[in-house]
Every structure is written in C-alpha cells, then in structure tokens.
Amino acid sequence: MAAENFGLLIHSVSGPGVLHQLTGVIARHQGDITSVEILEQGPPDSRIYFEVAAPSGAAALLEDLRALDIIRQVEAVQSLEKIYGKRVIIIGGGAQVGQVAIGAISEADRHNIRGEHISVDTIPLVGEQPLAAAVRAVARLPRARALVLAGALMGGDIESAVREVRAGGLMVISLNMAGSVPEAADLVVTDPVQAGVMAVMAVADTAKFTLDRLKRRVF
Amino acid sequence: MAAENFGLLIHSVSGPGVLHQLTGVIARHQGDITSVEILEQGPPDSRIYFEVAAPSGAAALLEDLRALDIIRQVEAVQSLEKIYGKRVIIIGGGAQVGQVAIGAISEADRHNIRGEHISVDTIPLVGEQPLAAAVRAVARLPRARALVLAGALMGGDIESAVREVRAGGLMVISLNMAGSVPEAADLVVTDPVQAGVMAVMAVADTAKFTLDRLKRRVF
C-alpha cells in the first residue's frame, strides 16, 4: 500500500452533491484523500482540488472520474504538500508581525535551499475577540506547525485560545509583551526577528533546534 | 435560500470512504459545501473541517452527522473565510520576500482595522522549476487574490506560469528585476515595500486603488 500521493485538479458543474459523487469514485478505488480544497464555486462551474493516495494509481482513477456526467475536465498535478510544505503562522499587530516575518522568511529561505518546504503566513489583526478567533482557527489550517503571537499586549480570551491550541499539539511562541499570553506560550522571545528565526528552526527538519532541549523558556 | 454559512469541525474515525459518507449527509440536507479541509488524518482518527450553507440550518445537519457510526464528535464553529479572508501570496528570494511582506503586512493592518480581512502568505524559494510550480500552485490555494514575485532574476518557465495564472484571473505583481517575468506581470514595482503595499491596496475593498485605472504599469 505504498501508494504515491498525487494531486487531482477537477473542473465540474457546481451544486449540492458534487463532492459526494467525486468522493464516491475515489472511495471505490480505495483512495485515501489527504487533502481537498474547493477553489471556485460557481454557478455554473466549480474547481475542486484533491490530494489522493490510491493503490490503483492516478490513471485508473482519472478514467473513472472522467466518466461522471458532472465532470468537465480532470488533470493530475503535483501535490501542494510538496510545494508549500509546513506553515509557520504569525498573528498580531502590523509592526511586530512584519519584523517576525522578516526573521522567519530569511530563516525559511536558508532551510528551503537545503530541501525543506516551509512557508510563512501572517495576518495582522487588532482586538481580543478577532485575535482569539484567529488563534483557535490556526488549528483548522492545513499544514500549520507553529504559531507566533506578535504584539505589545495580549491576554484574556487570547490566553485561553493559546492554551487550547497548545493542548491540540500546536507549538506557540509569544513575543515578550504585556498581558497573560507569554505565560501560556511554549517559548517567549523579546526580539521579533529572533522569534521568527526560532519558530522556523523549531519546525525545520534541517535544523538541530528543538524546544524540549532548551534550558530556559524566555529569551 | 439565503442559508447562512457555518463551519463544522468533525472528529471521525479515519479511512477510505469517510469523506464520501460525510458529504452524503450534507448532500441530503441540500447543503452547499463552500470549503473543506482535512486537518488530521489518522489512523486511528481524522479531523475534518467543512464550511457549509444548508437551508435546514446547522442544528438539523449536526444531528444527522452525529448519527453516523464513523463520527466521534461534531461542533459548529465560525467560518475561516470570515477570519482569514483574502490572501496575498509572496514568492521568491528571502531578502526580497521579507521586504515585500513588511509593506503588505503594514498595509493589511490598516485595512483590517477598518473591517477588511486580508492575510499575507509567503514562501521563500530558489530555482526555476520550484518557483514555476509554486506560481502554478497559487491557483489551487483557497482565497488567493494576488501574487507578488519578489526576486532579482526570474524568467523561462516562471514567465509561462505567470501567464497561465493571470489567464485564470489571478493578479500578478512583479518586482522590477532581470529576466522576462516583469514583462508578463500586471504591474511592475521597483521598491519591494511599495510592491507589498500596492498588492494589498489592489485587493482591499476599503481602498480606492484599482490596477485598471493606473496610467502606467511600471513604478
């Protein structure tokens, strides 16, 4: 069952039940769907992207999909996992998010040159509730490995959200800031550029850095 | 049919056919799936996230999903579209991607404060083929609205990829650089910070800036 993972870019008619029909064909091929994205949703047309590992291979699956009435076009493509890889997410105030991004992007560049696939994604936001919702939503983003909280003051429900996503297995790094979020994080870093660099080092397989082996939690 | 869009976070057993069963229940409720993500894929368990508009509402759908054998837990959550919104994607060399990100993140902050939802996502990469593949893959990323190419030299197959994604409706901004990519872009900007700012202005509903109304294409 070492079935290779491939991407399927599907152009179909749109409407309720389309995804059900497509996944039915994939299930009949014993295909394991590792990722799915709805790229465009008509009417009149939809574009849907799957990543699938199917023991029967891409060709047989493509043929059966093409036989469906709802299909306009299907093509096999390279998987997103291979292209964009692990994601480091940076959330907070624009000034600090930008500085953390500088550090994370430079460091990701150094690892990607050696074969890693790390992308750095950011959202500048203000306010306790939008920030708490964004932190909780990181757990619903595909391929997210670490979260950096970049601001000057974060606490209250943001702290609860940090504890929840950490309990779900996500690594959280906080800038040294006012409020209770630093107490809830895995690691607290004062320099925003260094925080970005450390976040990438912590998720890179090409780095020797792991949080577990650090002797202190605040830098 | 002004059914409200809601998120469904589903914790199920894993294996082929799970997505087919879940989408079957949603299709029976005439639910329109606007987004779907596989967050974790066991064994033994999977976590799957849907965004659905169903005329019968969230409660009836939740009840029928809970009745499935494969389900461990289901909850209704806020949609990702509302939280992370439109995405600006920056691809290229670490030094320049970082500078474009600084401009884009600062500008996104200003618009998000006024009610926009814009996130800025980056991947530092080197080499013609990885870059061309990443450009083509932007068309498969959900919510992507603009692409900024940030480097010192890009051409060949990257140029072809730019023309393909533009034909599919994606806006492409290029730094002023060596190679043929600037000729293929919608807009060419020399200062990387300004390129990031302009990309965000171009996708923000809170800005008055549109590429169509510009009198020149190179800045």
Side-chain angles (χ1 to χ4, degrees):
Chain A
M1 283 286 277
E4 215 210 328
N5 213 12
F6 50 88
L8 286 175
L9 195 54
I10 295 174
H11 186 167
S12 73
V13 303
S14 59
V18 167
L19 202 56
H20 185 55
Q21 285 192 58
L22 298 175
T23 54
V25 174
I26 297 169
R28 278 200 298 281
H29 281 261
Q30 297 293 313
D32 215 5
I33 300 170
T34 54
S35 178
V36 49
E37 307 273 9
I38 297 170
L39 303 172
E40 251 179 64
Q41 210 194 21
D45 294 0
S46 288
R47 287 195 316 129
I48 301 170
Y49 171 68
F50 287 98
E51 296 192 358
V52 182
S56 60
L61 183 53
L62 280 166
E63 195 174 320
D64 279 7
L65 285 168
R66 287 199 181 107
L68 290 177
D69 283 349
I70 54 167
I71 293 286
R72 293 194 200 284
Q73 203 187 328
V74 190
E75 60 178 312
V77 294
Q78 206 179 359
S79 81
L80 283 179
E81 180 73 43
K82 278 191 197 145
I83 295 174
Y84 293 107
K86 303 164 189 169
R87 298 167 77 180
V88 171
I89 315 286
I90 309 166
I91 296 178
Q96 286 123 316
V97 170
Q99 294 307 308
V100 175
I102 284 279
I105 292 165
S106 293
E107 185 66 13
D109 200 30
R110 301 172 72 218
H111 293 282
N112 290 353
I113 284 171
R114 289 176 284 168
E116 258 289 3
H117 292 85
I118 298 172
S119 22
V120 177
D121 298 349
T122 73
I123 179 162
L125 269 184
V126 69
E128 183 179 341
Q129 283 317 315
L131 278 162
V135 168
R136 289 190 173 98
V138 173
R140 307 202 294 275
L141 290 177
R143 300 173 282 108
R145 293 288 188 281
L147 166 64
V148 184
L149 287 166
L153 166 64
M154 294 188 194
D157 194 36
I158 310 171
E159 182 202 341
S160 314
V162 166
R163 295 192 188 275
E164 286 167 37
V165 295
R166 280 191 63 201
L170 186 77
M171 178 194 311
V172 180
I173 297 177
S174 170
L175 293 191
N176 197 347
M177 66 170 94
S180 56
V181 158
E183 283 163 44
D186 290 285
L187 188 70
V188 180
V189 183
T190 305
D191 168 25
V193 175
Q194 187 179 65
V197 171
M198 281 186 170
V200 170
M201 286 167 69
V203 304
D205 290 334
T206 37
K208 294 208 165 64
F209 180 89
T210 57
L211 293 196
D212 295 345
R213 294 173 65 184
L214 293 178
K215 298 225 164 59
R216 50 192 176 118
R217 207 183 61 83
V218 180
F219 290 84
Chain B
M1 282 286 278
E4 216 210 327
N5 213 12
F6 51 87
L8 286 176
L9 195 54
I10 295 175
H11 185 168
S12 73
V13 303
S14 57
V18 166
L19 202 54
H20 185 56
Q21 285 192 58
L22 298 176
T23 53
V25 174
I26 296 169
R28 279 199 299 281
H29 282 260
Q30 297 292 314
D32 214 5
I33 300 171
T34 54
S35 177
V36 48
E37 306 274 9
I38 296 171
L39 303 172
E40 252 179 61
Q41 211 194 21
D45 293 0
S46 289
R47 287 194 315 129
I48 301 169
Y49 171 68
F50 287 98
E51 296 192 359
V52 182
S56 61
L61 182 53
L62 280 166
E63 195 174 321
D64 279 7
L65 285 167
R66 286 197 183 108
L68 290 177
D69 283 348
I70 54 167
I71 292 287
R72 292 194 201 283
Q73 204 187 328
V74 189
E75 59 178 313
V77 294
Q78 206 180 359
S79 82
L80 283 180
E81 181 74 42
K82 277 190 199 146
I83 295 175
Y84 293 107
K86 304 163 188 170
R87 298 166 77 181
V88 171
I89 315 287
I90 309 167
I91 296 178
Q96 286 122 317
V97 169
Q99 294 306 309
V100 176
I102 285 279
I105 292 165
S106 293
E107 185 66 12
D109 200 31
R110 301 171 73 218
H111 293 281
N112 290 353
I113 284 171
R114 287 176 284 167
E116 258 289 3
H117 292 86
I118 298 173
S119 24
V120 177
D121 298 350
T122 73
I123 179 161
L125 269 183
V126 67
E128 183 179 342
Q129 283 316 316
L131 278 162
V135 168
R136 290 192 173 98
V138 173
R140 308 202 293 275
L141 290 176
R143 300 175 282 109
R145 293 288 188 281
L147 166 64
V148 184
L149 287 166
L153 166 64
M154 292 188 196
D157 194 36
I158 309 170
E159 182 202 341
S160 313
V162 166
R163 295 193 189 274
E164 286 168 37
V165 295
R166 281 191 62 202
L170 187 76
M171 177 194 311
V172 181
I173 297 178
S174 170
L175 293 192
N176 197 348
M177 67 170 94
S180 56
V181 158
E183 283 162 43
D186 289 285
L187 188 69
V188 180
V189 183
T190 304
D191 169 25
V193 175
Q194 188 180 64
V197 171
M198 281 186 170
V200 170
M201 286 166 70
V203 304
D205 291 333
T206 36
K208 294 208 167 64
F209 181 88
T210 58
L211 293 197
D212 296 344
R213 294 174 65 184
L214 293 178
K215 297 223 163 60
R216 49 190 177 120
R217 208 183 60 84
V218 180
F219 290 84

